[in-house]
Amino acid sequence: MPLLTIGINHNTASVELREKVAFSPDKMSDALQQLNSMSEVKGSVILSTCNRTELYIDASSTNNIVDWLIDFHQVNGDDLKPSLYYYSDEEAIQHLMRVSCGLDSLVLGEPQILGQVKQAYANAKEYGAVKGNLDKLFQKAFSVAKRVRTETDIGGNAVSVAYAACTLAKHIFESLERSKVLLVGAGETIELVAKHLADTGCHQMTVANRTRERAAGLAAQFDGQVISLSEIPQTLVETDIVISSTASPLPIIGKGMVESALKIRRHKPILFIDIAVPRDIESEVSELSDAYLYTVDDLQSIIDQNIEQRRTEAIQAEKIIAVESKEFKNWLRSRKAVESIRDYRRASDCARRELLAKSLQTLSMGGDPEKVLLELSNKLTNKLIHLPTKALQEAAEQGALDDLAVIRKSLGLEDL
C-alpha cells in the first residue's frame, strides 16, 4: 500500500481554520481508532500542532479519509478542501523528513517540531496505529533529522528576539550559571527569555514589574526573586545582565542610575539588552565604559544574519533529505521484491511437496523407483515452467518486447 500525507499548515490555511481541524490530546485516541478502522487504512500517524494538522497514512486511497476528517471536526468541506495538500510515495517521504528537520516550519530550522513529530509517533504506536512501512518511515525520518542537526547548523542561530537576547548573553558571559540576571517586565517576551535562560543553566533570575503579582507568577516558574520597579537601582549593584521588555512609554533605567551602580560595583561591567519599543533603557547608557547596551535593532540585525545563515544551511539539509528519501524509496521497492520472492518460493515449494507426496505413495505401493523419479522430475519441471511459458507467449503475441525481455532476463535467458 502507498504512503500518503494529507494536511494543512500555516502556508495553506488561516489560524481559524487550523484551529478547527486540530486534534486535542483527549480526542486523539478516538481519532486514531476511527481512522484505522477504515478498510483502506493499514496504519496512520496524526501530527497536530498550532501550525499544522497532518495525517500520515499507509492506505490505498485518500477519498474516504478526507470525508472522515471533515466529519470528525464538523467543518465545512468547501472551506477545508482548498487548503489541503496531498503527497504520496516519495513526496510523502520527503515531506515528513522536511517537517522533522524544521524545513517546513514557520521559523526555519526550529527544533521543537521534531519533539512534536516524535510525540505523534508515540501516540500512534501506543494505540497500535503505526506498523510496517509507516513505522520504518518515521524511524528513518528521526535518523535523518539527527543527521541534519549533526552535519548542518540549521538550528544553531537565534531567529527570535527572546532567543537572540539569551544567545547574546551566553556568548558574552560564556556560562550563565553564575550570572545574576534582572528581567524587567513580565510579559510573553520576558517569559520566553526566562525559559531560554533556564535552558542554558541560569538559575539566578530576578523579575521586576509594575505589578508584583504578575512578576511573582513568572518568577515562581524559575525559582526567581521579585522586586518592584522602584527597587531596580539597588538591584543593579548585584546584577550582571539586564534584559528589559515593558510597555512603558518612558525609559525605566537611566544613565545616572547605571552610573551609580557601576561605581558601587567598582566598574564590574553590566550587559543591558533592551528589547522594548519604546525603549526601556536610555540610549546614553551606552556612553558608560562598563555598560554594554544592545537594543532591539541590534538584535534584529543579528536575527537577519542568522536567518540568512539558516537558509544557507537549509540547502545542505535539502540535499541530505533528497539522498535519504531516495534511499528509503529504494528500500520500499526492495521490500516488494522480497514479498514477490517469498510468494514465488511458497508456490514452488507447494508444488514440490504435492508431487513428492504422490511419488512417495507410489513407491510405498511397490512402484519402479526409476520410473517414479522420472515422472516426478517431468511433472515438477512442467509445473514450474507452466506460468513463465504462458507469460512469454502472451508477451510475444501482444508485441510487448520490453516485457518479453524482462521475463527472459528473469529466467536467465540471453537477449533475443
Side-chain angles (χ1 to χ4, degrees), residues 221-242:
Q221 298 180 44
F222 308 99
D223 294 325
Q225 304 297 315
V226 177
I227 63 170
S228 64
L229 296 182
S230 62
E231 296 175 273
I232 290 178
Q234 303 96 295
T235 306
L236 277 179
V237 176
E238 301 296 329
T239 299
D240 302 306
I241 302 167
V242 177

Side-chain angles (χ1 to χ4, degrees), residues 18-84:
R18 297 201 305 271
E19 288 175 341
K20 290 179 181 179
V21 294
F23 290 87
S24 59
D26 59 317
K27 291 184 178 180
M28 189 61 74
S29 177
D30 289 340
L32 288 167
Q33 184 177 2
Q34 290 180 27
L35 189 55
N36 284 271
S37 67
M38 297 183 186
S39 58
E40 65 267 39
V41 176
K42 189 177 179 180
S44 66
V45 174
I46 299 175
L47 174 62
S48 187
T49 72
C50 58
N51 285 326
R52 72 181 63 246
T53 290
E54 294 179 336
L55 309 179
Y56 294 90
I57 315 156
D58 190 355
S60 56
S61 165
T62 62
N63 295 333
N64 293 334
I65 296 168
V66 173
D67 292 338
W68 168 81
L69 184 64
I70 292 169
D71 292 339
F72 188 90
H73 291 292
Q74 294 295 295
V75 296
N76 188 319
D78 293 335
D79 293 336
L80 179 61
K81 287 181 179 180
S83 298
L84 290 172

